[in-house]
Amino acid sequence: MRPRGREERHRAATPLELFFDLCFVVAVAQAGSQLGSALGEGHVRHGIAGYLFVFFAIWWAWMNFTWFASAYDTDDVPYRIATFVIIVGALILAAGVPRAFADSDYSVTVTGYVVMRVALVAQWLRAAASNAGPQRRVALRYAVGVALVQLYWVLWLVYVPAGDKWWALLPGLVADMAVPVVAERDAETAWHPGHIAERYGCFTLIVLGESVSAATVAVQSAVDEHQAFHELLPIAVGGLLICFSAWWIYFARSVEEHLRSNRVAFTWGYGHFFVFGSAAAVGAGLEVAVEHAVGKVHLSAQAATLGVTVPTAVYLITVWALHSRHVKRGIALWVLPVSGVVVLFSPSVLVAGLVCAASVAVGLLVHRLQGDGDADGPAVAEPTEV
């Protein structure tokens, strides 16, 4: 298992990696569904806390495998089997999400997480055995670090009392996120900037698609039961505008050229927790908005709207912080953060969607006026052709 070249040409996502993403989205869907149910029942604090914890486990396991695969993808039989084991762990985690939300029972979710991470430890040990020098040291640090953190999570599950579990989360989360920083402190793995950018883009697409799917199912169910077309149409239109705009904004410019060091890449990669988490939460918020419109949940109109506008605002501002601010200048630099603030205070889902669409339109207008490609137009075509 030798490192891939960072300057390797035509480094693209493999079918196994795409299959991996699709299996992981099952866990994302479970987390989003449970968040929507908790918000609809008025358990806002419990729902958000549970969602963040479960989504961290999903995102962190996905991210660690993605960066490992970018550096050491051999695509042989042992590699594929280890990847399948990680997928099994993701499915176990997904199966435990309802119990985690309903009863604060994290036994199944933690079991799934440990399965995923132990399989990754095996991959790092294989990389260590196949290399020498700095790459061997890095691989061993990863293997030991990940293994020690999994021991912490097992002890957390078994020995920490239920009333203290939330307080004991922080050390485990910090330790998990510190492993890559410590492991690569004096040598870097051979991750590929273009491959990493593509992998993150693929997962963004899948999460946005899950939000559209969740909203569609909610609208269909409400229509079948209540025939409330006039009440649901503004939510459906607003939700689609948000998702369409989220796609346009994320893929406006390629970020590959920006990912040239571990310092930059770690900030960018870690920051995507908020991109992925907020994109998935938009779908949960749309479910709540639909149920409120037909009277299935007893929330205020403002609370139901906030379930959509808050994650949308987080998405816009985070994408701006990770992507747009590095390539924009002048007025274009402030389109997304201003839009995020306006969305946050929007009185309805439809207005929030219109604001998102307007931010794209303003970006295209600025692009035309500046004539330098700094707007929120797609990276694959000129905006005038879209």
Side-chain angles (χ1 to χ4, degrees), residues 88-383:
V88 170
L91 297 179
I92 294 172
L93 188 152
V97 169
R99 295 174 64 179
F101 274 82
D103 306 317
S104 296
D105 179 359
Y106 298 100
S107 58
V108 179
T109 55
V110 171
T111 299
Y113 184 66
V114 171
V115 168
M116 290 187 286
R117 305 294 278 157
V118 168
L120 186 63
V121 169
Q123 293 280 57
W124 280 117
L125 289 174
R126 185 182 176 204
S130 304
N131 293 274
Q135 291 300 316
R136 176 181 172 83
R137 291 197 302 272
V138 170
L140 285 175
R141 287 173 188 161
Y142 266 111
V144 172
V146 173
L148 289 176
V149 175
Q150 299 326 294
L151 177 61
Y152 176 88
W153 287 120
V154 172
L155 296 175
W156 175 86
L157 177 65
V158 176
Y159 293 107
V160 176
D164 297 327
K165 283 195 183 304
W166 284 108
W167 299 105
L169 278 178
L170 185 59
L173 300 180
V174 172
D176 243 332
M177 291 188 292
V179 169
V181 178
V182 173
E184 301 195 32
R185 67 178 184 269
D186 55 10
E188 298 182 357
T189 53
W191 51 267
H192 190 283
H195 178 251
I196 286 294
E198 182 188 12
R199 296 291 292 112
Y200 274 69
C202 288
F203 203 68
T204 301
L205 287 174
I206 290 174
V207 173
L208 287 174
E210 173 55 34
S211 287
V212 173
S213 175
T216 301
V217 171
V219 170
Q220 178 184 358
S221 176
V223 168
D224 290 342
E225 295 180 15
H226 300 276
Q227 299 293 321
F229 295 103
H230 65 286
E231 296 172 338
L232 298 177
L233 182 60
I235 298 174
V237 172
L240 286 176
L241 287 175
I242 290 171
C243 292
F244 292 163
S245 301
W247 171 86
W248 195 302
I249 290 166
Y250 187 90
F251 293 98
R253 296 292 297 267
S254 172
V255 77
E256 177 180 350
E257 294 300 321
H258 180 60
L259 303 178
R260 290 303 174 186
S261 70
N262 270 11
R263 182 183 62 83
V264 172
F266 280 176
T267 302
W268 181 85
Y270 283 29
H272 268 73
F273 171 78
F274 300 100
V275 175
F276 296 153
S278 59
V282 167
L286 289 171
E287 289 185 58
V288 174
V290 167
E291 292 179 349
H292 173 269
V294 296
K296 292 181 65 175
V297 296
H298 301 291
L299 295 173
S300 67
Q302 181 183 15
T305 301
L306 285 173
V308 178
T309 58
V310 169
T312 302
V314 171
Y315 180 91
L316 294 176
I317 293 173
T318 306
V319 171
W320 169 80
L322 297 178
H323 287 212
S324 305
R325 69 185 181 89
H326 301 294
V327 296
K328 301 299 177 68
R329 62 180 178 84
I331 190 174
L333 179 64
W334 302 105
V335 172
L336 288 185
V338 170
S339 298
V341 173
V342 176
V343 164
L344 184 61
F345 293 98
S346 296
S348 69
V349 174
L350 178 59
V351 171
L354 292 172
V355 171
C356 291
S359 71
V360 175
V362 171
L364 291 173
L365 177 61
V366 172
H367 169 81
R368 178 66 62 85
L369 294 176
Q370 292 180 341
D372 58 5
D374 279 349
D376 287 314
V380 295
E382 289 296 324

